[in-house]
Amino acid sequence: RVLNLEGNPIAQNPDFPLSQYVITLLPNLHYYEYTFIKSEIREKAQIRFCRELREIEYLQEKEIQARELQAREESQARRLASSFVDHLDGNQLFDSFWRDDADGRVLMLVGQQAQELAEEYEKDVFELTQEIYKLGLKRFVERDEEIRDFMDNLLDGQKELQSSGQKEIEDFLLYKATIFDEARITLRLLEQNVMHGDDEDSLENIKLSDTMDKLNVNFEDSLNDMWLVLMSQELHLHETIEESTTNFHRKISDMMSKFLEASQSFFVQLREISVHFSENMTEIVTRFISTKLAMQDFEDVPPELRMCMDDRDAILNLIAGMKDAHTFRIDEREDRMATRSKEFIDNMINKLNK
């Protein structure tokens, strides 16, 4: 609403109409350098810098859309991470097979048959990872609902205890107000008697002293009773939460185990597909090399394969290396899912216990 740029480096160019530029960009600005901005000045400024304003508004809208997209992507990433199926919603697992698989990339150069087999392989892997992905999201919803129910019940129990404890304290404070009033009256009578010259051991003063002692004892007893009630409530809540947490731990662990068992069946199929692909690749590469050797035509043979054209074991080692690289990625992804699910449960239960 108010702005002064005097002395700012941006104001050092005398040829640039900075005031008009600022007025255009800041529609809520009322005063610029202590001068009220009239409507006709604002209109003139908007005409002068209308193109720049449109460009800035366009860039601003793009920035807003980009931030919203980033927020959605981050939210989706957190959701997938909590489902333990992040990087399984597309071809990420299949792409990872070839990342460090130099042998496999060489074998793909043997011709059209290998390319077609690889495309079929990719399709099969994608279908199975989609099954794991959908399973993870489904079980996440079930698990999240269970966690929310448990936390809601936990909070309700704490609120119930808090309400009960507050009632105990309110009742005690009412009692305290009454007994303090009685004590003040008794003390005042004692003080008056002493001021009037009565003996401290007089019958009336002894009775008043006994009354004070009883009030003190009653107050201490009431205070102790309240403390016992509050502590018994705390103890009850602690034991209830401890038992509930143990049951919850058992249930959430059982849910996680069932999810892992179901997903393991898909990982077994992935390994079987990888083995099947390797076996078919063995046939294709063997046939390719046999044909090239028979025709003595090595022109389109990849340089990496030429070195082992006459060595069948070397060829088989290339294929075995490819298979090992792919199964390693599958095992690694399965292990990661199991490890992170266990860490998730352990962290949540430790937090609850604390």
Side-chain angles (χ1 to χ4, degrees):
R1 299 177 72 85
V2 179
L3 181 65
N4 180 18
L5 293 176
E6 184 180 358
N8 191 301
I10 198 174
Q12 291 177 357
N13 184 356
D15 299 325
F16 184 73
L18 182 61
S19 61
Q20 290 186 337
Y21 186 69
V22 168
I23 290 168
T24 303
L25 293 188
L26 303 177
N28 294 324
L29 192 66
H30 287 188
Y31 289 88
Y32 179 71
E33 294 189 352
Y34 313 111
T35 303
F36 180 73
I37 302 168
K38 297 179 181 179
S39 57
E40 56 267 24
I41 294 176
R42 191 182 302 278
E43 290 172 5
K44 183 178 178 181
Q46 288 173 345
I47 293 171
R48 167 71 176 77
F49 287 103
C50 64
R51 184 174 59 82
E52 288 84 351
L53 180 63
R54 282 200 303 271
E55 183 179 354
I56 288 171
E57 287 175 341
Y58 169 72
L59 293 173
Q60 181 173 276
E61 184 61 29
K62 279 185 66 177
E63 175 71 13
I64 290 171
Q65 292 174 359
R67 289 185 184 186
E68 289 175 348
L69 177 61
Q70 183 180 359
R72 287 196 299 272
E73 288 175 347
E74 288 175 355
S75 175
Q76 176 71 352
R78 286 193 298 271
R79 181 165 171 261
L80 293 181
S82 300
S83 307
F84 313 110
V85 291
D86 43 324
H87 306 303
L88 288 176
D89 53 328
N91 286 315
Q92 298 97 320
L93 181 63
F94 181 80
D95 293 340
S96 72
F97 289 175
W98 308 95
R99 194 171 301 134
D100 300 316
D101 182 20
D103 296 342
R105 290 196 295 272
V106 169
L107 293 171
M108 288 300 102
L109 301 174
V110 299
Q112 185 66 28
Q113 274 189 310
Q115 293 293 332
E116 291 174 356
L117 184 64
E119 289 172 5
E120 188 67 27
Y121 182 33
E122 179 180 10
K123 179 183 173 184
D124 292 341
V125 170
F126 176 76
E127 288 176 357
L128 284 172
T129 53
Q130 279 294 294
E131 291 296 325
I132 299 172
Y133 169 70
K134 288 185 283 189
L135 175 69
L137 294 183
K138 179 183 176 184
R139 296 298 169 84
F140 166 75
V141 172
E142 297 169 359
R143 200 164 54 246
D144 193 51
E145 186 177 342
E146 184 69 29
I147 293 170
R148 278 204 311 271
D149 286 346
F150 173 76
M151 297 305 295
D152 288 345
N153 290 333
L154 202 63
L155 189 60
D156 289 344
Q158 290 173 333
K159 285 181 178 178
E160 186 178 342
L161 173 81
Q162 186 179 33
S163 177
S164 176
Q166 284 172 342
K167 186 178 184 309
E168 287 291 333
I169 293 171
E170 287 166 4
D171 291 344
F172 172 78
L173 291 175
L174 289 173
Y175 168 76
K176 174 192 168 186
T178 303
I179 205 168
F180 272 40
D181 285 342
E182 291 181 31
R184 273 190 290 270
I185 293 170
T186 305
L187 283 171
R188 195 177 299 120
L189 290 172
L190 271 170
E191 289 171 357
Q192 288 173 356
N193 289 343
V194 171
M195 287 174 64
H196 291 153
D198 289 355
D199 187 0
E200 289 184 5
D201 295 330
S202 67
L203 185 61
E204 186 180 354
N205 284 347
I206 290 173
K207 285 182 178 179
L208 289 171
S209 295
D210 288 343
T211 301
M212 269 308 296
D213 290 341
K214 288 177 182 177
L215 289 173
N216 187 49
V217 169
N218 290 340
F219 179 77
E220 291 293 334
D221 288 345
S222 179
L223 184 62
N224 188 57
D225 289 344
M226 181 191 67
W227 184 86
L228 288 172
V229 169
L230 292 176
M231 290 308 298
S232 66
Q233 289 177 347
E234 284 290 335
L235 184 61
H236 173 71
L237 179 67
H238 179 272
E239 291 172 347
T240 303
I241 289 177
E242 198 170 41
E243 183 181 356
S244 299
T245 301
T246 301
N247 293 333
F248 172 71
H249 188 185
R250 191 180 300 116
K251 186 165 187 179
I252 206 77
S253 296
D254 184 56
M255 293 177 74
M256 198 69 78
S257 296
K258 289 178 179 177
F259 162 62
L260 291 175
E261 286 172 11
S263 63
Q264 280 169 358
S265 65
F266 294 116
F267 281 107
V268 168
Q269 293 179 60
L270 282 169
R271 279 186 279 272
E272 290 173 351
I273 288 172
S274 180
V275 170
H276 183 65
F277 173 73
S278 300
E279 291 171 350
N280 287 338
M281 277 301 299
T282 302
E283 292 181 15
I284 290 172
V285 173
T286 302
R287 194 181 312 120
F288 173 81
I289 290 175
S290 299
T291 302
K292 294 299 179 182
L293 285 172
M295 299 175 63
Q296 289 296 298
D297 177 14
F298 306 121
E299 196 172 311
D300 56 348
V301 176
E304 294 85 347
L305 280 180
R306 289 181 192 175
M307 297 183 294
C308 48
M309 289 287 285
D310 296 322
D311 189 348
R312 177 177 170 77
D313 289 339
I315 297 293
L316 294 177
N317 287 337
L318 284 177
I319 297 171
M322 178 189 69
K323 180 174 76 68
D324 291 344
H326 294 192
T327 53
F328 172 77
R329 291 297 182 187
I330 295 169
D331 294 343
E332 182 183 49
R333 189 62 186 83
E334 184 179 16
D335 291 343
R336 181 183 168 202
M337 182 181 288
T339 302
R340 285 183 54 217
S341 63
K342 184 179 184 303
E343 288 174 351
F344 169 79
I345 293 175
D346 290 345
N347 290 338
M348 181 168 57
I349 298 302
N350 287 338
K351 187 178 179 182
L352 284 170
N353 287 333
K354 287 180 183 178

